[in-house]
Amino acid sequence: VILPFPDNAETAAPIAKRQDAEVGAVTLRRFPDGETYVRIETPVTGRETILVCTLSRPDEKMLPLLLTAATAKDLGATRVGLVAPYLAYMRQDARFQPGEGITSMYVARLLSQAVDWLVTVDPHLHRYRSLAEVYSIPTRAVRAAPLIARWIRNHVSSPVVVGPDGESAQWAQAV
């Protein structure tokens, strides 16, 4: 069963079709005190469950994601995977100033405890050779550049590819 988070249904639909899986539903809301309410509307007992949640705006999404993964396991899902097209908290991969946290490692530990596997698109791997250096679960990094390059080749006559910062040069060059 594929469980898309809010604003992820469009991403989840082709995954479900390709996997011949049911698209399920999760209800997420806030209690008046700000705590997260989670209810998985689709039965997951005895089923592999795939959470689809891009982690843009990660601070508002991370705890609901962790709670939903825990709920799926508690309800008897055989395995819980995460498809996160954007994987947050990969930039702080070293201690650049005294006292800084290496948050890429901390988030990797949290997600590795919460889900059984992870798929993402073009993670920020500047000082890590692969996600396996920080994640203790099976991971797969999918490359977007070939698909983007094909689309540009078919639709744009004189393309110019730019990125938001110097670290994005690797992706712009690949496209």
Side-chain angles (χ1 to χ4, degrees):
V1 63
I2 311 289
L3 298 178
F5 275 60
D7 301 325
N8 287 260
E10 206 171 295
T11 302
I15 295 168
K17 184 175 181 180
R18 187 174 180 107
Q19 297 294 318
D20 193 28
E22 175 185 2
V23 176
V26 176
T27 296
L28 297 170
R29 65 175 186 251
R30 298 271 179 206
F31 285 109
D33 66 355
E35 291 181 9
T36 299
Y37 169 88
V38 175
R39 181 173 182 216
I40 298 176
E41 306 284 347
T42 309
V44 297
T45 303
R47 301 171 82 181
E48 179 154 1
T49 302
I50 300 172
L51 308 178
V52 179
C53 181
T54 193
L55 290 170
S56 59
R57 298 181 323 277
D59 290 356
E60 69 185 59
K61 294 178 182 177
M62 193 65 71
L63 187 56
L65 174 64
L66 296 172
L67 293 172
T68 303
T71 301
K73 287 182 176 185
D74 188 42
L75 292 173
T78 57
R79 290 186 347 140
V80 177
L82 171 60
V83 173
Y86 172 72
L87 183 61
Y89 283 103
M90 290 300 295
R91 287 188 178 272
Q92 189 71 37
D93 54 7
R95 198 177 319 277
F96 302 100
Q97 302 290 325
E100 289 182 341
I102 305 173
T103 54
S104 60
M105 289 176 41
Y106 312 151
V107 169
R109 283 186 210 136
L110 286 170
L111 287 175
S112 292
Q113 291 174 357
V115 298
D116 299 305
W117 55 265
L118 165 71
V119 174
T120 190
V121 179
D122 290 322
H124 190 92
L125 296 173
H126 287 289
R127 281 161 281 279
Y128 299 128
R129 289 183 305 275
S130 74
L131 291 171
E133 289 186 39
V134 287
Y135 282 83
S136 61
I137 55 174
T139 59
R140 181 162 184 204
V142 178
R143 302 289 169 227
L147 295 173
I148 294 169
R150 184 176 347 144
W151 187 92
I152 290 172
R153 190 170 35 256
N154 293 332
H155 295 91
V156 181
S157 59
S158 298
V160 175
V161 178
V162 297
D165 56 28
E167 290 186 345
S168 68
Q170 63 178 323
W171 296 295
Q173 288 169 351
V175 170

